[in-house]
Amino acid sequence: MAGDEPVVNPWLPQSGRPEGSNGKPPRSVQGIPTGLSGPRAPQGTGVPRPDRALPVARPQSSDVQSWWWLGVHGGAGVSSLERAVPGGRDAGRAWPVSFGNQPVVLIARSSAHGLTAAQNAARQWASRMVTGVDLLGLVVVADAPGRRPRVLRDRVRLVSGAVPRVWEIPWVEPWRLGEPHLPKECVTLARDLNRLTQHPPAHSDI
């Protein structure tokens, strides 16, 4: 069964397991990774730097946000998640590096383009090209309704091996029409992010 195959991470040494990983494939729901996924901290040595990297910017100070949404490409879905999951703020497609660890959540569409951008951002973080960032995980937002092609399902599983956690948000037709809607996956995402940012554990089981 494809969902039971171990996650292969092409930008980490395959002879050993990533730091912080339990060496097992992530839990899955219908083959989609959820919860704890890959390494909890950058690996540095052995991770090739991406050719295309997101810029780094010092964010404006704010007392209201608990984490930063970092869309790794245009149209990732940052605005929709800002409305659906209060507590985050758009980082403006740049790593919000500042004093102290900034909680960051990557956002990407489930298209080939979006997942490649997510892979590049994960490599940028893992190779220590950015510092002062606490990467909480990656939100994959469906790029189309219906079942995802297998090649994209496999790509999601691949990218999930390079980030601490993965959350899946399905296609939400009301969002396309500009209407408010809160799918249950957003409720889970909000619960997890609030728990991680209010009571950050050393090794979370979320």
Side-chain angles (χ1 to χ4, degrees), residues 17-29:
R17 64 186 187 184
E19 178 183 346
S21 173
N22 59 13
K24 299 179 181 179
R27 299 189 301 269
S28 64
V29 179

Side-chain angles (χ1 to χ4, degrees), residues 89-179:
R89 182 179 175 187
D90 187 357
R93 292 184 61 191
W95 291 97
V97 174
S98 185
F99 297 106
N101 286 338
Q102 298 288 313
V104 172
V105 181
L106 302 178
I107 304 176
R109 291 283 178 178
S110 60
S111 63
H113 170 72
L115 295 173
T116 296
Q119 185 181 46
N120 286 337
R123 287 173 57 187
Q124 189 177 0
W125 167 76
S127 62
R128 299 187 186 275
M129 290 178 67
V130 292
T131 58
V133 167
D134 180 13
L135 182 61
L136 302 182
L138 165 69
V139 179
V140 178
V141 181
D143 67 310
R147 183 173 173 81
R148 187 174 300 148
R150 179 171 181 175
V151 64
L152 295 181
R153 297 199 306 270
D154 290 345
R155 181 69 70 86
V156 171
R157 287 187 60 81
L158 180 68
V159 176
S160 75
V163 292
R165 300 165 189 84
V166 172
W167 295 274
E168 286 274 335
I169 303 299
W171 178 262
V172 182
E173 187 65 22
W175 289 358
R176 185 185 186 193
L177 302 176
E179 300 171 357

